[in-house]
């Protein structure tokens, strides 16, 4: 071979001629590629939606229960006590109702009315019962108040021997007025007493007395009217059990302006024992 056709050498690897890297090659890999995004977990959102739906349903059920329960309880009370069909009666239950309804017992139930007649006594009644079974049974406990006016309070005093024609209530006392016969003459008498309760009986404690329009003391009355005078100046105990349902016991009484407020305790068996709804008896 001649020098005119000599073989040229390969160019040296330098900065002017860099080696190209083929993408995806075995040695180069895919170092610059963005990794695929992971799918977001949706179950927390689904769980949240389920919880919200359940909460809404629970609230709706509670509202429905509170709307329906008063009518049911009112109907049961009216039937049990043989009250008029149009008797107004407010019913309110404490606490969350749904668990109580499932358990079959109401924790606390409030019943109130501005006017109701029980065994001939008419007044405003407010009663709170606890442990009220929805499927029948005795109440755990019950108590309340009965507010009566002067005419109804006069009826409660029918068993006393005091001369009573009228009764005036003015807190904290009651004034009973009537007349007594002395030597064939009718003498007007007015006795002011502080009402209370003793062992379930109505108690009247005298605090003032007028005879013939004149205020007198106890000694004068005792000497001039004899046994009647002593009766007028002594504390009177009056049984009124025969004017109330047998399941109701008096625990307190006070005069509030022109009304008598009677505090009562109710036998829990009154819900199942019909005899406790009938009038009681006095010894």
């Amino acid at each position: 071979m001649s020098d005119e056709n000599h073989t040229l050498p390969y160019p040296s690897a330098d900065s002017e001629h860099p080696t190209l890297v083929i993408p995806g090659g075995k040695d180069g890999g895919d170092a610059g590629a963005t990794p695929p995004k992971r799918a977001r977990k949706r179950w927390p959102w689904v769980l949240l939606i389920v919880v919200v739906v359940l909460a809404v349903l629970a609230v709706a059920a509670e509202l429905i229960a509170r709307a329906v329960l008063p009518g049911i309880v009112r109907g049961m009370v009216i039937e049990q006590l043989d009250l008029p069909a149009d008797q107004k009666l407010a019913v309110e239950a404490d606490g969350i109702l749904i668990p109580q309804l499932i358990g079959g017992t109401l924790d606390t139930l409030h019943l109130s009315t501005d006017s109701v007649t029980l065994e001939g006594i008419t007044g405003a009644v407010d009663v709170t019962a606890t442990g009220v079974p929805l499927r029948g049974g005795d109440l755990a406990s019950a108590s309340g108040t009965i507010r009566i006016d002067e005419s109804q309070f006069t009826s409660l005093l029918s068993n006393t021997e005091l001369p009573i024609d009228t009764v005036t209530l003015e807190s904290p006392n009651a004034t009973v007025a009537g007349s007594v016969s002395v030597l064939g003459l009718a003498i007007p008498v007015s006795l002011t007493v502080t009402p209370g309760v003793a062992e379930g009986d109505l108690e009247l404690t005298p605090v003032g007395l007028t005879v013939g329009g004149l205020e007198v003391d106890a000694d004068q009355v005792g000497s001039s009217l004899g046994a009647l005078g002593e009766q007028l100046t002594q504390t009177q105990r009056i049984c009124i059990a025969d004017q109330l349902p047998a399941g109701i016991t008096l625990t307190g009484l006070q005069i509030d302006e022109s009304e008598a407020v009677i505090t009562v305790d109710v036998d829990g068996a009154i819900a199942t024992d019909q005899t406790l709804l009938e009038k009681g008896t006095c010894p």
Side-chain angles (χ1 to χ4, degrees):
M1 295 178 65
S2 66
D3 294 338
E4 293 180 358
N5 295 307
H6 63 272
T7 302
L8 297 176
Y10 285 102
S12 59
D14 54 20
S15 59
E16 294 181 359
H17 300 88
T19 303
L20 298 179
V21 178
I22 300 175
K26 293 183 178 179
D27 296 329
D30 194 12
T34 302
K37 294 182 179 180
R38 294 182 179 180
R40 294 183 179 179
K41 296 181 179 180
R42 296 184 178 180
W43 66 266
W45 294 101
V46 174
L47 179 60
L48 178 60
I49 293 174
V50 171
V51 171
V52 171
V53 171
L54 290 177
V56 171
L57 291 177
V59 172
E62 181 72 12
L63 294 176
I64 292 173
R66 289 195 174 278
V68 173
L69 181 66
I72 296 175
V73 174
R74 177 183 174 277
M76 294 172 60
V77 172
I78 287 178
E79 180 181 0
Q80 189 75 11
L81 299 181
D82 195 21
L83 300 176
D86 59 351
Q87 173 68 52
K88 293 183 179 180
L89 183 66
V91 179
E92 182 179 355
D94 290 349
I96 300 176
L97 290 183
I98 298 302
Q100 299 179 53
L101 295 177
I102 294 175
T105 302
L106 297 179
D107 295 337
T108 305
L109 189 66
H110 304 281
L111 305 175
S112 61
T113 178
D114 292 336
S115 180
V116 65
T117 300
L118 296 174
E119 296 299 336
I121 300 296
T122 300
V125 175
D126 192 328
V127 176
T128 298
T130 62
V132 181
L134 298 176
R135 300 179 181 87
D138 297 347
L139 307 174
S141 66
S143 60
T145 59
I146 304 173
R147 302 179 70 95
I148 59 176
D149 60 17
E150 294 173 343
S151 64
Q152 297 298 310
F153 188 76
T154 303
S155 300
L156 290 181
L157 303 181
S158 60
N159 289 343
T160 181
E161 296 180 359
L162 293 175
I164 298 177
D165 294 329
T166 62
V167 175
T168 302
L169 301 179
E170 185 176 357
S171 54
N173 299 320
T175 300
V176 298
S179 61
V180 295
S181 178
V182 178
L183 301 176
L185 298 176
I187 307 297
V189 175
S190 177
L191 178 65
T192 300
V193 297
T194 301
V197 171
E199 299 178 346
D201 291 339
L202 182 61
E203 187 175 65
L204 305 177
T205 303
V207 294
L209 176 65
T210 62
V211 177
L214 300 176
E215 186 173 349
V216 297
D217 60 31
D219 294 335
Q220 291 176 327
V221 174
S223 60
S224 61
L225 297 181
L228 178 59
E230 294 180 1
Q231 183 181 19
L232 290 174
T233 56
Q234 290 180 352
T235 297
Q236 301 287 318
R237 285 187 59 170
I238 306 168
C239 174
I240 63 172
D242 59 349
Q243 301 182 61
L244 297 172
I248 295 179
T249 302
L250 267 66
T251 58
L253 188 150
Q254 64 179 7
I255 305 301
D256 182 13
E257 296 183 352
S258 61
E259 293 182 317
V261 182
I262 304 172
T263 306
V264 298
D265 183 68
V266 182
D267 190 330
I270 198 170
T272 57
D273 188 349
Q274 189 66 30
T275 61
L276 296 179
L277 293 172
E278 300 174 358
K279 284 186 177 182
T281 58
C282 288

